[in-house]
Amino acid sequence: MKRIGDGAATRLGLIALAVIMTTLFLVIPLAGIFYQAFAEGLAPFWQNLTSNFTREAIGLTLLIALLTVPVNLIFGIFLAWLVTRFTFPGRRILQTLIDIPFAVSPVVAGLLYLLLYGRTGWLGSILSEHDVQLMFAWPGMVLVTIFVTCPFVARELIPLMQAQGSAEEEAGVTLGASGWTLFRRITLPNIRWALVYGVILTNARAIGEFGAVSVISGSIRGETINLPLQVELLYQDYNTVGAFTSAALLAALAIVTLMIKALLEWHTHRREETA
Amino acid sequence: MSTRSARVLPGFSLSLGVTLLFVSLILLLPMTSLIGQLSTLSWSQYWAAITDPRLIASYKVTLLAALAASLFNALFGLLMAWVLARYTFPGKRILDALMDLPFALPTAVAGITLATLYSRNGAVGSLLDPLGIEIAYTWLGIALAMAFTSVPFVVRTVQPVLEDLPGHADEAALTLGASNLYAFRRVILPHIWPAIVTGTGLSFARSLGEFGAVIFIAGNMPYRTEVVSLMMATRLEEYDYAGAAAIASLVMLVSLLLLLAINLWQGRFYRRLHGGRH
């Protein structure tokens, strides 16, 4: 079959252009991260990677991701179930509300939390009377990361669950299945790859969030510096190798994320073809 | 779809309860504080806060750079979507996976990398410098960082539409003697331009709010290379919470209107597309 753009010259030309542009625009920066990290050899890289400062930043980054991902996973499943399996007034508004974290600048996210939980905020002033301090501390960073990443799981699940419809689950109900059985035996197997993908995206963003947490963090060394904030701090201190060491660590995680995503896509694609 | 049969399934009150609790605590509660903070300002104070000349300069820079970035992404995204949807070639899967890199890579990492590469003595900047092209510390650098972080939007909205297009329309046009470019314009483009507009709109919205990637390459010179997100962060650092809240209210309004416009646009497009079936 003849198709538009299938002439050999057009085809090769466009592929070449795409490869060149991607190399210039994406591959060179990616390679640049690792080049800068190893610019002074392996020893400084290793020294930076194993320093206390980096270890503490890694710890905080993992803590934030570890708390954020389960919360948003559970919320995402409930939200997707709610908006795809039931119709009720306000459903549209709910879906638009959930998109807010996507649409606003991360600095606005940080600001909203600072205004609420900071000393001048109405909730913050009540909490500080009880000696609870969320801002400029890790709990505030977790909260704002939950805000920033809350749409990811739901956004992956909703289109899929909408497309699949609820016929299978309705059949399950007629056969007397309980809610939990229904979810575990029918819904979960249908959505698991989208769920994994949603978790990966949430995790990647939770690890890499910068703008929102920078407002909340207050940059207390050893306490509120996660990896992206450490990258900024070292870079501003003209410690290029140090900054790029942590950047390389984050970039390696990004590559792993992309690889898992590609694997998942390949897997679902193959399943669709054999089905 | 009937509302009656919908409630056959269990879990309505549970999922509604969990969702409302979460939305109230995580999304709505923080917004009350913004309203509270804004109510401390009189109208004239609010107006003064959002029309500060240095801030107005930052509106201009942010809009200009975001416009340039999203237009670049419209073209680059269309090229990539086309190549990935239409052709098979060795290394295609790697190219496809790379398109998501800007979402997977933390913005601060992208920021310091672009700033280093494009500075006057950086690997790319040193090549451009003799040509008189300065990227770092100009609005071009800001546009570059915005374009980098929003690459996936156009690719990922246009690619699936292209993949779903049946081949027979192509064939008919070509058999009737149309040139490739003419056939693309008349047969393919009408199908994909709503997706292009949606993707470009999302890319623009994201660019307007970008912070982490931009601040390193921007140089942040007052009146010249400060973006709106940075102005908010600066106000917060000066403990001018009311001033920051005033800017934030404007930013939120603009992004919500953009989001709403994109959603309405998408809804209209899909209704038209699937209108005949229901």
Side-chain angles (χ1 to χ4, degrees), chain B residues 180-200:
Chain B
N180 265 314
L181 207 60
Y182 183 80
F184 176 80
R185 206 158 55 82
R186 299 302 294 263
V187 179
I188 310 270
L189 209 56
H191 282 278
I192 59 169
W193 74 271
I196 298 177
V197 173
T198 304
T200 311

Side-chain angles (χ1 to χ4, degrees), chain A residues 114-169:
Chain A
L114 189 63
L115 292 182
L116 177 67
Y117 292 105
R119 275 183 206 287
T120 55
W122 64 268
L123 193 56
S125 56
I126 297 173
L127 288 173
S128 75
E129 276 170 27
H130 296 87
D131 280 330
V132 179
Q133 165 87 0
L134 295 180
M135 291 301 103
F136 312 123
W138 67 264
M141 296 171 76
V142 172
L143 278 177
V144 81
T145 308
I146 291 176
F147 174 93
V148 171
T149 57
C150 79
F152 286 100
V153 172
R155 276 213 138 190
E156 289 307 315
L157 292 186
I158 289 172
L160 181 70
M161 286 172 70
Q162 225 144 30
Q164 285 176 344
S166 56
E168 284 182 44
E169 281 127 6

Side-chain angles (χ1 to χ4, degrees), chain A residues 12-248:
Chain A
L12 282 178
L14 287 177
I15 292 174
L17 187 64
V19 171
I20 292 169
M21 296 269 292
T22 307
T23 308
L24 285 177
F25 202 49
L26 298 174
V27 179
I28 288 181
L30 184 62
I33 301 169
F34 294 98
Y35 175 79
Q36 293 286 346
F38 294 106
E40 285 166 26
L42 207 61
F45 171 81
W46 187 249
Q47 210 171 13
N48 280 307
L49 193 64
T50 52
S51 73
N52 278 338
F53 191 21
T54 307
R55 210 169 35 232
E56 284 156 358
I58 293 174
L60 179 61
T61 306
L62 291 180
L63 176 74
I64 294 174
L66 227 64
L67 292 172
T68 303
V69 170
V71 170
N72 279 331
L73 173 66
I74 293 167
F75 163 69
I77 293 173
F78 274 114
L79 176 74
W81 181 260
L82 184 69
V83 301
T84 61
R85 295 301 181 249
F86 306 104
T87 47
F88 54 93
R91 199 173 61 142
R92 263 279 162 76
I93 298 173
L94 195 63
Q95 270 177 288
T96 311
L97 268 178
I98 290 306
D99 276 339
I100 288 180
F102 263 161
V104 303
S105 166
V107 179
V108 174
L111 174 132
L112 290 176
Y113 274 75
L114 189 63
L115 292 182
L116 177 67
Y117 292 105
R119 275 183 206 287
T120 55
W122 64 268
L123 193 56
S125 56
I126 297 173
L127 288 173
S128 75
E129 276 170 27
H130 296 87
D131 280 330
V132 179
Q133 165 87 0
L134 295 180
M135 291 301 103
F136 312 123
W138 67 264
M141 296 171 76
V142 172
L143 278 177
V144 81
T145 308
I146 291 176
F147 174 93
V148 171
T149 57
C150 79
F152 286 100
V153 172
R155 276 213 138 190
E156 289 307 315
L157 292 186
I158 289 172
L160 181 70
M161 286 172 70
Q162 225 144 30
Q164 285 176 344
S166 56
E168 284 182 44
E169 281 127 6
E170 275 162 24
V173 171
T174 346
L175 295 171
S178 71
W180 173 240
T181 314
L182 211 60
F183 176 73
R184 199 168 52 90
R185 302 287 291 270
I186 300 173
T187 314
L188 199 56
N190 281 337
I191 62 168
R192 70 183 158 193
W193 298 117
L195 205 61
V196 174
Y197 186 35
V199 165
I200 289 169
L201 287 178
T202 309
N203 186 55
R205 183 70 195 264
I207 285 176
E209 181 48 40
F210 171 75
V213 293
S214 79
V215 172
I216 302 298
S217 139
S219 292
I220 307 165
R221 237 185 129 115
E223 278 181 47
T224 60
I225 308 279
N226 68 353
L227 277 174
L229 290 174
Q230 193 207 16
V231 167
E232 183 207 17
L233 218 66
L234 293 174
Y235 186 80
Q236 310 285 30
D237 282 349
Y238 300 102
N239 182 350
T240 313
V241 173
F244 277 99
T245 300
S246 297

Side-chain angles (χ1 to χ4, degrees), chain B residues 45-112:
Chain B
Q45 280 172 319
Y46 180 77
W47 186 249
I50 58 169
T51 55
D52 172 64
R54 191 169 148 193
L55 187 61
I56 289 191
S58 81
Y59 296 153
K60 287 181 188 158
V61 172
T62 310
L63 278 175
L64 175 70
L67 212 60
S70 45
L71 285 179
F72 170 82
N73 272 332
L75 295 174
F76 178 60
L78 178 61
L79 169 74
M80 294 312 299
W82 178 267
V83 167
L84 291 172
R86 284 299 181 109
Y87 306 138
T88 42
F89 51 95
K92 178 180 161 176
R93 198 172 286 155
I94 297 174
L95 203 63
D96 195 5
L98 272 171
M99 287 302 112
D100 287 315
L101 177 73
F103 280 179
L105 197 68
T107 53
V109 174
I112 64 163

